[in-house]
């Protein structure tokens, strides 16, 4: 969840004109960004080494 105040701050940075699709994309991005910031503050993020290991596993899959 994101507070109305934080949302207002982000919205003020949006362009004056944008499509509904662009608005939705930006709002989803803002939510994800705020979630990651909260996770980081609560020490729930993973290290760079762990991320690199996960990415290597993703790309090594034969899909």
């Amino acid at each position: 969840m994101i507070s109305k105040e934080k949302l207002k701050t982000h919205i003020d940075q949006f362009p004056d004109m944008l499509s509904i699709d662009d608005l939705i994309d930006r709002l989803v991005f803002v939510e994800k960004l705020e979630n990651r910031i909260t996770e980081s503050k609560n020490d729930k993020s993973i290290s760079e080494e762990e991320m690199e290991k996960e990415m290597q596993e993703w790309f090594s899959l034969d899909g």
Side-chain angles (χ1 to χ4, degrees), residues 46-57:
I46 64 173
S47 70
E48 187 173 337
E49 292 81 22
E50 290 172 304
M51 177 55 87
E52 287 179 15
K53 182 180 175 185
E54 282 189 27
M55 289 176 65
Q56 288 175 354
E57 290 173 9

Side-chain angles (χ1 to χ4, degrees), residues 22-57:
D22 287 340
L23 175 62
I24 292 169
D25 288 344
R26 287 172 183 259
L27 291 174
V28 168
F29 175 76
V30 166
E31 181 185 37
K32 288 181 180 193
L33 179 63
E34 291 296 331
N35 286 342
R36 296 311 162 261
I37 290 170
T38 300
E39 286 176 356
S40 180
K41 286 180 181 176
N42 294 327
D43 292 326
K44 293 189 179 198
S45 58
I46 64 173
S47 70
E48 187 173 337
E49 292 81 22
E50 290 172 304
M51 177 55 87
E52 287 179 15
K53 182 180 175 185
E54 282 189 27
M55 289 176 65
Q56 288 175 354
E57 290 173 9

